[in-house]
Amino acid sequence: VNTPTFVFETGLTKGGVLRAAKLFIEQTNVREYVFASDQNMGHFDPLVDDPANNKFIQEVVPWLRGITAK
């Protein structure tokens, strides 16, 4: 695997998503990645929160713009 990867974790897994993602990155050829989190968000908040206050949207939109501009 060498696909640019974006990982976002909410408070649901208490660090489990980022720990697993870091292991995944170490075991693949992925060289372009972003790890982001908001431990105050619930599981569905990235999908339903107000975009102006949504850390997922604030992080993923610039990342997507960056990888599509290449």
Side-chain angles (χ1 to χ4, degrees):
V1 176
N2 66 355
T3 304
T5 303
F6 182 92
V7 178
F8 188 84
E9 175 181 76
T10 65
L12 178 70
T13 64
K14 299 178 176 97
V17 168
L18 292 182
R19 280 192 304 276
K22 288 173 184 175
L23 265 171
F24 173 78
I25 295 298
E26 289 173 6
Q27 297 172 6
T28 64
N29 292 321
V30 174
R31 298 291 172 248
E32 190 173 339
Y33 57 89
V34 169
F35 298 137
S37 71
D38 185 337
Q39 297 302 310
N40 294 317
M41 290 183 106
H43 185 64
F44 289 107
D45 289 346
L47 298 174
V48 298
D49 265 2
D50 174 26
N53 299 313
N54 187 324
K55 185 168 180 185
F56 171 74
I57 296 294
Q58 294 167 358
E59 297 272 345
V60 78
V61 169
W63 181 77
L64 287 170
R65 285 186 178 136
I67 65 168
T68 59
K70 294 180 180 180

